[in-house]
Amino acid sequence: MRYGYFDDKRREYVITRPDTPLPWINYLGSEDFFGLISNTAGGYCFYKDARLRRLTRYRYNNAPLDDGGRRLYLRDDGAALEHGNLLFWSPTWQPARRALDHYECRHGLGYSTFSSRLSGIESRLRCFIPQGEQLEIWQLEIKNLRQRPARLSLFAAVEFCLWDALDDATNFQRNYSVGEVEVVDNVIYHKSEYRERRDHFAYLACSAEVAGFDTVRESFLGPYRGWDSPASVIDGSLSNSIATGWQPIGAHHVRLELNPGESAETIFLLGYFENPIDEKFDPPGSQTINKRIVRSIIARYSQPAEAEAAFRRLRHYWDETLDVLQVETPDSHTDRMVNIWNAYQVMTTFNLSRSASYFESGIGRGIGFRDSNQDLLGFVQFDPPRARQRILDLAATQLENGGAYHQYQPLTKRGNNEIGSGFNDDPLWLVLSTAAYLKETGDWTILEEKVPFNNEDELAAPVLEHLQRSIAYTLDRMGPNQLPLIGRADWNDCLNLNCFSEIPGESFQTTENREGGTAESLFIAGLFILASQEMVAIYNKLDLVQEAESCRLAAEAMEKAIWQAGWDGEWFRRAFDSFGNPIGSADCEEGRIFIEPQGICVMAGLGLENGRARQALDSVAEHLATPHGIMLLQPAYSRYYLHLGEISSYPPGYKENAGIFCHTNPWIMIAEARIGRGNRAYDYYLRINPSMRETLSDLHKCEPYVYAQMIAGRDAPSYGEAKNSWLTGTAAWNYVAITQWILGIRPSWDGLEVAPVIPSDWVGFSLTRRFRGVRYEIRVERHGPGNQVQLEVDGEQVPGTLVRLPPSGTARVQVLARIN
Ligand code: GLC
Ligand code: GLC
């Protein structure tokens, strides 16, 4: 069953009923100011850091679902008076949840629109954040479709968060006494803590003359009432309350009188503003916010023409961004994901890492080291300068020993001490992201850029040295089988082999590990080889022959160790536990085969020559693949194993315990492409493609336009149900798998590689790619069933699969690839 449809022309997903299985959300903003917005306008917004600069409250795991956010109400004043028959509703359905005659939400790129109709009153709302600004614009048009005049009241309300979202949700003894507001000229200013160390405030402005306002929550709602039926909406008037302490809100009341066919536009602005520290107050010495600068911003965007122009700029930004890569294939699910939604999700994960979604509370996690480095793999072509900056920020949280803080806070860019380090895969991802940046841009100066270790400027060293220490970090931590020690965990956060936790609720990730843990990771071994291949290429480019050679030898030794201890007979093993026993082996009772080492080892080229790559992937197909995607392991762990950690804490079929952990699936797609099996690679791609799963929305539950981190595996009662949509490494990796390995268009050191491994029944496809300032127009034609490529570049036959960089000044290159 579906709850909407794709409008590919407008790059929108159209939701046609408000009660989707879960709130289906979108993101506003792409720089410093962000909003999460659901299909009923739920959600919240924040400046830079979803925990420390939260503007509005949101209560997760509440009931009813998702009733917090941008709250709008329309009240039919005429009806209320004439028939004693009270009529009020929310034009976005929530929070009033009154049945509407018509409802439609369109999630677009960086904006969402909501249109609805009830009793002859039509409303259209558009929410977005202008580029370069720190405010949400809500443009609301109300139209009277009746034959008679309509007298209406419009209410708009938000509940302010007292900035630190964690503190706001826990520290009531203080917070109930610090709330402060000012109300001037149709603008409500939220200024809690402004009197002391904050120089920022939030505001809710209204473009129209207001009939009243409220800032005391209980005045607006009435005692013991909820947002679904506020007493003042029912009464049709607000009490101009001024909050001191308790729960400051912003609520405006606008009266509208509309003749038949007439409409009115009202603009609300929900914004954040930071004053210069020595000009906080006006007049100086008072406690009143200096509004001189913000007033002009508010005045500007209160004008419909300015809001319109800002919206056009936003659309232009997304058109330009997506134009980097556009494809036309025989399959619409592929086209819309590659051209629109997967690219959009990649941008979102880059911006927000794993911080704020409807599954990430915004207070739990900062920017993850491994997460963001992987996000970069899919992001780098969209905005190389921002990618460069992110690489430098990440590198600055690397430790002197080559290890890395697992996360950093976006506001301070400092490593997060609570989570610490010791996830032994972390540093290697920096090599992959930097290599991807180099291949995309050819900007070798990044390697010379001096970046601190541990954010300490005295310890600054060139990025190249950071990469070297990443490699050294692995080599300094080898275990009994000459395989890398796993530390707290590797990519699989839940494989905590040195943790042995017996205390309820203790964090598996941060608790002290047992001394001298000797558990080893095959995954890190594979990742090390992959990273070493990039390092060797980098060294060669820099003419560092010796370094290249020693790196190559280290990778060779690693490969030997993998074949010696890591090959199980039909697949790659996963790890060795701290007693030296293999995990992910036919000898195990449970957890006999894991997906991760099959993916990473084949991606690193292992077993391509001796047939074992094929064998490992056949084992994946036999033991792990399901119609809903590929499970992480089998058989699922049926009980808690002290020596395995969090992985066995999940009931079978969920998360890392045999769930379909979508992040890992593209590794298998890439691996299949590497051994030339285009049909298999593409089949796996389609199984988890969100658009492809749209018709399963009742089961899938999450948004059909973005990937979710997990789909419940075969062992779970809710097999096929997705969770944790939006912020997942799945976005970047799927983008890489489909564009670079299946469609096969990938940046490389000296040009653009064109090596498609597509399904045998495709006649071909065409693709445009902006790469190093040149526009490539690529046509791929299938002439035979295989993957042999014959290239023609601007009409000339070229051997191999590489389209070399053209002479400078070239704007356009035409590529024809015949595959046989
Ligand atoms: C989550 C984490 C990621 C980890 C994965 C597997 O997606 O964000 O860092 O690799 O889970 O445990
Ligand atoms: C699991 C989750 C991951 C999270 C970790 C720590 O790995 O999949 O998202 O980082 O647990 O809580």
Side-chain angles (χ1 to χ4, degrees):
M1 161 159 185
R2 296 174 209 240
Y3 292 78
Y5 59 92
F6 287 91
D7 183 343
D8 292 336
K9 262 219 178 76
R10 298 172 57 146
R11 296 178 165 157
E12 292 174 336
Y13 190 79
V14 188
I15 300 165
T16 48
R17 49 186 285 185
D19 55 341
T20 45
L22 290 169
W24 285 0
I25 72 162
N26 190 14
Y27 286 85
L28 311 178
S30 57
E31 296 155 319
D32 291 333
F33 191 72
F34 295 98
L36 283 66
I37 188 162
S38 71
N39 57 308
T40 60
Y44 57 91
C45 60
F46 59 92
Y47 174 71
K48 276 193 184 172
D49 188 316
R51 172 174 165 187
L52 298 175
R53 291 282 189 283
R54 182 87 64 102
L55 271 76
T56 48
R57 276 194 185 142
Y58 189 80
R59 293 177 186 81
Y60 284 84
N61 67 23
N62 207 359
L65 266 182
D66 189 40
D67 82 330
R70 302 149 190 88
R71 291 152 167 137
L72 295 170
Y73 308 86
L74 279 169
R75 177 181 190 273
D76 191 340
D77 293 343
L81 294 178
E82 280 160 29
H83 312 295
N85 165 20
L86 182 74
L87 185 56
F88 76 94
W89 68 98
S90 291
T92 59
W93 191 60
Q94 290 247 57
R97 286 187 302 281
R98 187 69 47 95
L100 300 165
D101 293 342
H102 165 78
Y103 158 92
E104 183 185 274
C105 163
R106 287 176 172 260
H107 284 319
L109 307 182
Y111 66 91
S112 293
T113 65
F114 305 82
S115 51
S116 65
R117 198 179 60 245
L118 185 65
S119 163
I121 303 298
E122 188 181 76
S123 69
R124 289 169 181 283
L125 168 69
R126 182 163 75 192
C127 300
F128 68 100
I129 294 172
Q131 295 295 104
E133 300 290 358
Q134 298 154 15
L135 55 95
E136 284 188 16
I137 298 185
W138 312 348
Q139 273 178 288
L140 178 63
E141 192 184 286
I142 312 282
K143 186 167 186 185
N144 178 14
L145 302 178
R146 297 172 182 169
Q147 304 296 327
R148 56 198 154 84
R151 283 191 298 119
L152 305 167
S153 277
L154 162 65
F155 302 88
V158 297
E159 184 172 352
F160 290 113
C161 176
L162 274 57
W163 300 116
D164 178 339
L166 179 60
D167 192 69
D168 181 69
T170 47
N171 191 8
F172 308 112
Q173 61 77 26
R174 170 179 162 82
N175 292 336
Y176 283 175
S177 294
V178 304
E180 289 192 290
V181 298
E182 285 178 36
V183 183
V184 188
D185 294 341
N186 307 328
V187 186
I188 293 167
Y189 297 89
H190 172 232
K191 61 168 201 174
S192 299
E193 294 186 344
Y194 191 76
R195 62 170 53 245
E196 29 119 353
R197 290 155 297 172
R198 295 190 188 275
D199 311 315
H200 49 261
F201 54 87
Y203 58 88
L204 181 69
C206 175
S207 68
E209 203 46 54
V210 303
F213 64 85
D214 264 315
T215 66
V216 173
R217 192 179 70 185
E218 265 54 40
S219 302
F220 180 72
L221 296 179
Y224 288 90
R225 296 182 70 96
W227 292 95
D228 52 346
S229 60
S232 49
V233 170
I234 291 173
D235 292 349
S237 79
L238 304 190
S239 50
N240 297 351
S241 57
I242 295 291
T244 64
W246 298 113
Q247 329 273 1
I249 65 162
H252 288 299
H253 177 195
V254 177
R255 285 193 206 281
L256 302 170
E257 303 220 353
L258 298 175
N259 286 321
E262 195 187 357
S263 58
E265 177 165 353
T266 313
I267 294 178
F268 296 96
L269 305 175
L270 173 60
Y272 170 93
F273 194 74
E274 207 165 310
N275 263 329
I277 189 164
D278 44 0
E279 296 172 33
K280 279 176 69 165
F281 299 111
D282 182 27
S286 74
Q287 288 292 302
T288 313
I289 297 176
N290 173 359
K291 308 181 185 70
R292 265 170 296 171
I293 313 176
V294 78
R295 210 179 273 138
S296 64
I297 299 173
I298 292 173
R300 175 174 175 198
Y301 290 108
S302 297
Q303 300 167 46
E306 286 287 347
E308 220 37 67
F311 185 69
R312 279 199 303 275
R313 286 196 297 278
L314 179 72
R315 294 225 51 155
H316 179 73
Y317 163 78
W318 279 107
D319 287 347
E320 279 294 292
T321 302
L322 297 187
D323 184 58
V324 168
L325 191 159
Q326 290 288 300
V327 70
E328 236 184 279
T329 73
D331 177 62
S332 64
H333 301 293
T334 305
D335 289 359
R336 73 166 58 108
M337 288 311 294
V338 171
N339 294 339
I340 309 169
W341 293 100
N342 195 177
Y344 184 55
Q345 189 181 3
V346 161
M347 299 286 289
T348 309
T349 54
F350 173 83
N351 286 329
L352 295 163
S353 191
R354 307 295 172 267
S355 68
S357 72
Y358 269 28
F359 298 87
E360 299 284 3
S361 64
I363 57 185
R365 296 210 252 174
I367 304 275
F369 194 91
R370 86 155 78 84
D371 294 335
S372 286
N373 276 304
Q374 290 171 86
D375 294 344
L376 277 160
L377 303 177
F379 172 82
V380 61
Q381 71 280 357
F382 292 121
D383 194 338
R386 286 184 75 197
R388 188 181 206 272
Q389 187 57 49
R390 177 65 58 81
I391 290 170
L392 301 182
D393 290 346
L394 286 163
T397 64
Q398 189 174 25
L399 303 167
E400 272 188 283
N401 69 4
Y405 274 110
H406 196 49
Q407 297 174 8
Y408 73 83
Q409 283 313 121
L411 201 61
T412 60
K413 296 190 176 178
R414 302 216 142 241
N416 184 333
N417 272 319
E418 286 151 43
I419 315 288
S421 68
F423 296 79
N424 282 354
D425 64 315
D426 269 338
L428 291 171
W429 296 109
L430 183 66
V431 179
L432 296 198
S433 65
T434 308
Y437 174 79
L438 290 169
K439 291 184 210 172
E440 179 65 36
T441 62
D443 167 23
W444 289 79
T445 65
I446 192 173
L447 294 178
E448 295 154 27
E449 194 81 39
K450 283 201 163 176
V451 175
F453 284 101
N454 197 10
N455 293 108
E456 291 175 44
D457 288 335
E458 320 78 72
L459 302 178
V463 167
L464 180 64
E465 190 171 330
H466 282 261
L467 303 187
Q468 290 170 314
R469 290 204 203 172
S470 290
I471 295 285
Y473 181 87
T474 303
L475 295 176
D476 290 345
R477 286 165 185 74
M478 300 290 274
N481 294 295
Q482 293 314 302
L483 292 166
L485 294 175
I486 195 167
R488 289 191 181 284
D490 59 22
W491 171 87
N492 191 327
D493 269 340
C494 298
L495 205 52
N496 317 117
L497 305 181
N498 299 310
C499 168
F500 294 85
S501 176
E502 288 177 296
I503 300 169
E506 182 174 72
S507 161
F508 289 97
Q509 269 84 36
T510 59
T511 185
E512 257 328 292
N513 277 342
R514 264 199 193 168
E515 276 295 306
T518 53
E520 298 167 289
S521 162
L522 260 299
F523 179 83
I524 300 181
L527 180 62
F528 177 85
I529 295 174
L530 200 57
S532 296
Q533 290 162 354
E534 305 287 29
M535 274 317 275
V536 170
I538 290 172
Y539 284 136
N540 281 332
K541 280 270 166 200
L542 297 173
D543 264 335
L544 297 170
V545 182
Q546 227 139 42
E547 283 83 349
E549 181 58 10
S550 75
C551 194
R552 197 187 60 74
L553 289 174
E556 207 173 86
M558 190 70 81
E559 177 166 353
K560 210 164 136 210
I562 291 180
W563 292 129
Q564 239 154 39
W567 180 254
D568 198 60
E570 290 176 46
W571 56 76
F572 293 99
R573 292 173 170 171
R574 179 62 180 84
F576 285 90
D577 67 22
S578 66
F579 309 107
N581 299 317
I583 294 174
S585 156
D587 293 340
C588 300
E589 207 180 307
E590 301 185 316
R592 269 180 226 130
I593 172 169
F594 281 64
I595 191 172
E596 306 102 301
Q598 324 312 327
I600 202 87
C601 290
V602 178
M603 286 200 293
L606 267 65
L608 294 183
E609 266 125 53
N610 61 16
R612 286 177 173 177
R614 174 178 285 262
Q615 197 174 5
L617 294 175
D618 286 344
S619 298
V620 168
E622 186 185 337
H623 301 288
L624 298 177
T626 81
H628 294 291
I630 312 168
M631 296 177 289
L632 193 142
L633 64 86
Q634 277 294 303
Y637 293 114
S638 58
R639 60 186 175 85
Y640 179 56
Y641 291 86
L642 187 62
H643 69 292
L644 298 180
E646 187 167 0
I647 194 165
S648 59
S649 76
Y650 289 113
Y654 290 114
K655 298 279 279 181
E656 282 86 341
N657 187 13
I660 295 158
F661 211 92
C662 296
H663 186 139
T664 59
N665 281 217
W667 297 344
I668 301 299
M669 299 168 203
I670 297 171
E672 287 287 358
R674 286 216 62 168
I675 65 165
R677 296 201 293 206
N679 287 341
R680 276 264 180 101
Y682 188 66
D683 177 19
Y684 288 145
Y685 172 75
L686 284 184
R687 292 187 201 194
I688 63 166
N689 179 303
S691 161
M692 185 75 182
R693 295 175 63 77
E694 186 194 17
T695 49
L696 304 177
S697 284
D698 268 346
L699 171 67
H700 186 79
K701 288 203 171 74
C702 285
E703 297 92 335
Y705 40 91
V706 289
Y707 287 96
Q709 178 203 58
M710 183 207 65
I711 296 172
R714 204 167 53 204
D715 302 280
S718 60
Y719 176 37
E721 176 189 81
K723 285 191 189 124
N724 300 8
S725 55
W726 279 100
L727 302 184
T728 159
T730 311
W733 275 110
N734 271 285
Y735 191 83
V736 169
I738 184 71
T739 60
Q740 299 190 12
W741 295 94
I742 297 176
L743 301 175
I745 313 297
R746 55 179 177 273
S748 78
W749 308 100
D750 303 304
L752 200 57
E753 197 85 39
V754 177
V757 185
I758 52 174
S760 50
D761 61 357
W762 275 20
V763 292
F765 65 90
S766 50
L767 183 146
T768 58
R769 174 72 153 87
R770 260 182 6 226
F771 175 63
R772 302 202 199 180
V774 180
R775 187 179 184 83
Y776 291 80
E777 291 169 358
I778 303 166
R779 271 194 55 70
V780 173
E781 287 173 4
R782 197 181 252 311
H783 292 270
N787 307 304
Q788 287 304 317
V789 175
Q790 227 187 20
L791 277 188
E792 216 180 277
V793 179
D794 283 332
E796 303 258 325
Q797 296 261 352
V798 165
T801 55
L802 182 69
V803 180
R804 291 193 169 274
L805 296 173
S808 72
T810 310
R812 202 171 282 263
V813 171
Q814 309 258 357
V815 179
L816 175 64
R818 294 192 182 83
I819 42 182
N820 270 292

